[in-house]
């Protein structure tokens, strides 16, 4: 019999093969069809992830929620129902894959983050956009009121006026980047202008510049961040605290990159992209188990004072030592060696 715990432990234990056939080959009296039925007939939801993660959070009013999406590459499996052709930032182009919209909690400390919620982007099935998935997840967080974090970090994709108004009306703070073609207004006299044409305030960018965004009925604070290589990033926030400075905005923006750390380890350590089942429900259940597998690995890594990658790799060390002591396949050498 295949259980959810068995499947999650398989995801964490197998080094590279994540197929139903491979699992069946390593479970006594379990067939490929039984594994496939387990994935097709169950209905695991993001609620499991929230229930698991909430007691584990290092939460505080200084914590953050990070929003971003990630495409699980399925370019070699085009018959998967929920996979679609879409843009992947990782590939910098179009791929066939399954897009996940993730809501990740960060304490603000390096390496201390956990996925809190997620949605599968499948507009042909539910008609929802990525932004609407985010709005639903945020509305649920506000309604449940179980965390202390009150600041959201996200990139330009989620910086539309609808999202900004939703966050602001809920009493939350946001920090987001803007696309270079976004128009801002310093005053009624100057009207709207491109970001590239905005001149710095009299004191420079150290404390930002109050501006208005089109269709956003409240002022925001604009910061111009210039990287060491000359790249420019425009960041806006509804935080008008007197103590907010450019270095603080830069540090907050760096925290947002923890969601990319999560995306990378989620793909590399849980087999999120490797399931070959064609049915949408099987893929959804596989991904639900992958989130729980990632949290399980993260907790094990924390208890053993290891990185996620060290914790994942060390489980094979005893087996390797055993093989080196008594190889199953002995080396063949020429007689002259």
């Amino acid at each position: 019999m295949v259980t959810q715990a068995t499947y999650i432990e398989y995801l964490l234990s197998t080094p590279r093969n994540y197929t139903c056939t491979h699992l069946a080959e390593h479970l006594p009296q379990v067939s490929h069809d039984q594994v496939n039925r387990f994935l097709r007939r169950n209905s695991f939801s993001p609620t499991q992830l929230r229930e698991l993660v909430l007691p584990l959070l290092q939460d505080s009013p200084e914590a953050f929620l990070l929003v971003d999406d990630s495409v699980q590459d399925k370019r070699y499996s085009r018959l998967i129902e929920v996979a679609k052709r879409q843009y992947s930032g990782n590939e910098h182009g179009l791929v066939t894959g399954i897009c996940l919209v993730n809501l990740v909690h960060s304490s603000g400390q390096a390496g201390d983050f956990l996925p809190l919620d997620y949605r599968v982007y499948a507009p042909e099935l539910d008609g929802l956009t990525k932004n609407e998935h985010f709005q639903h997840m945020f509305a649920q967080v506000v309604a449940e009121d179980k965390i202390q974090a009150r600041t959201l970090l996200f990139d330009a994709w989620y910086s539309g006026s609808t999202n900004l108004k939703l966050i602001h009306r809920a009493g939350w703070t946001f920090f987001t980047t803007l696309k270079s073609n976004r128009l801002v207004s310093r005053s009624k006299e100057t009207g709207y202008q491109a970001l590239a044409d905005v001149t710095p305030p009299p004191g420079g960018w150290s404390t930002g510049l109050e501006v208005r965004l089109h269709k956003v009925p409240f002022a925001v604070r604009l910061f111009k961040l210039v990287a060491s290589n000359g790249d420019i990033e425009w960041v806006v926030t509804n935080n008008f605290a007197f103590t907010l400075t450019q270095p603080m905005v830069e540090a907050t923006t760096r925290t947002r990159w923890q969601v990319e750390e999560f995306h990378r380890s989620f793909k590399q350590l849980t087999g999120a992209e490797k399931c070959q089942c064609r049915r949408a429900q099987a893929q959804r259940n596989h991904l639900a188990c992958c989130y729980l597998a990632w949290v399980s690995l993260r907790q094990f890594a924390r208890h053993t004072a290891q990185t996620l990658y060290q914790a994942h790799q060390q489980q094979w060390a005893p087996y390797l030592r055993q093989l080196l002591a008594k190889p199953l396949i002995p080396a063949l050498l020429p007689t002259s060696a």
Side-chain angles (χ1 to χ4, degrees):
M1 178 180 178
V2 183
T3 66
Q4 189 178 22
T6 301
Y7 190 78
I8 291 170
E9 288 163 359
Y10 167 69
L11 295 178
L12 290 169
S13 302
T14 182
R16 62 173 58 193
N17 191 331
Y18 297 86
T19 63
C20 295
T21 301
H22 189 249
L23 173 54
E25 289 173 349
H26 293 82
L27 274 182
Q29 299 178 332
V30 169
S31 68
H32 166 274
D33 288 342
Q34 287 176 298
V35 180
N36 195 272
R37 282 196 296 271
F38 161 80
L39 289 174
R40 285 189 289 109
R41 294 182 179 178
N42 281 289
S43 185
F44 305 132
S45 76
T47 302
Q48 284 189 315
L49 177 65
R50 292 196 302 275
E51 291 176 352
L52 176 64
V53 166
L54 279 171
L56 305 177
L57 299 178
Q58 298 296 317
D59 193 28
S60 74
E62 288 71 44
F64 303 95
L65 290 187
L66 320 176
V67 183
D68 203 1
D69 52 81
S70 175
V71 175
Q72 314 306 299
D73 194 332
K74 300 287 187 180
R75 70 181 73 187
Y76 303 115
S77 307
R78 296 178 184 176
L79 297 178
I80 293 174
E81 291 177 347
V82 76
K84 65 188 296 290
R85 192 79 172 161
Q86 55 197 304
Y87 180 82
S88 168
N90 188 51
E91 297 296 328
H92 303 289
L94 293 175
V95 298
T96 298
I98 300 174
C99 182
L100 299 172
V101 183
N102 289 307
L103 191 64
V104 175
H105 181 282
S106 168
S107 71
Q109 302 301 312
D112 190 9
F113 52 87
L114 281 165
L116 180 63
D117 204 348
Y118 71 92
R119 295 292 186 272
V120 177
Y121 173 57
E124 66 285 353
L125 298 178
D126 56 29
L128 297 177
T129 66
K130 297 179 194 177
N131 280 287
E132 287 170 334
H133 280 305
F134 157 65
Q135 291 158 19
H136 292 172
M137 288 190 291
F138 177 64
Q140 185 163 16
V141 168
V142 172
E144 291 180 349
D145 195 25
K146 292 181 178 179
I147 63 172
Q148 300 177 56
R150 287 296 182 271
T151 302
L152 279 160
L153 312 180
F154 44 91
D155 65 15
W157 182 270
Y158 296 92
S159 67
S161 60
T162 301
N163 288 348
L164 300 189
K165 288 186 288 187
L166 178 69
I167 297 165
H168 189 75
R169 288 168 182 166
W172 283 54
T173 299
F174 61 77
F175 288 81
T176 180
T177 55
L178 296 179
K179 293 181 179 179
S180 59
N181 61 354
R182 196 74 173 262
L183 299 178
V184 299
S185 172
R186 300 180 64 164
S187 65
K188 291 183 179 179
E189 292 73 25
T190 60
Y192 287 98
Q193 58 186 149
L195 287 170
D197 298 329
V198 176
T199 57
W205 290 104
S206 60
T207 57
L209 172 67
E210 182 176 330
V211 298
R212 293 272 180 167
L213 297 173
H214 186 51
K215 295 185 178 180
V216 177
F218 52 87
V220 294
R221 201 167 175 180
L222 176 68
F223 288 85
K224 181 180 182 181
L225 308 183
V226 183
S228 56
N229 62 359
D231 288 347
I232 295 174
E233 193 170 52
W234 297 95
V235 177
V236 291
T237 178
N238 59 343
N239 184 337
F240 276 86
F242 179 74
T243 54
L244 185 66
T245 62
Q246 189 169 13
M248 295 170 64
V249 174
E250 291 174 342
T252 300
T253 302
R254 285 195 296 272
T255 300
R256 180 171 56 84
W257 285 100
Q258 288 183 351
V259 73
E260 300 296 342
E261 294 181 49
F262 168 70
H263 289 163
R264 183 171 59 251
S265 58
F266 181 73
K267 291 179 180 181
Q268 294 177 351
L269 302 178
T270 70
E273 297 180 311
K274 304 301 183 182
C275 179
Q276 300 302 311
C277 295
R278 295 183 181 182
R279 295 294 181 88
Q281 189 60 42
Q283 287 289 337
R284 288 177 182 271
N285 285 328
H286 169 76
L287 289 167
C289 291
C290 287
Y291 280 97
L292 302 184
W294 191 94
V295 175
S296 302
L297 178 61
R298 187 264 195 184
Q299 289 303 102
F300 179 81
R302 172 155 291 197
H303 291 323
T304 56
Q306 300 178 91
T307 68
L308 287 170
Y309 295 91
Q310 288 171 336
H312 193 254
Q313 291 293 322
Q314 65 89 34
Q315 61 186 319
W316 299 303
Y319 178 62
L320 178 57
R321 284 192 288 267
Q322 178 183 333
L323 282 182
L324 289 174
K326 192 176 181 180
L328 290 176
I329 305 175
L332 295 179
L333 295 172
T335 54
S336 59

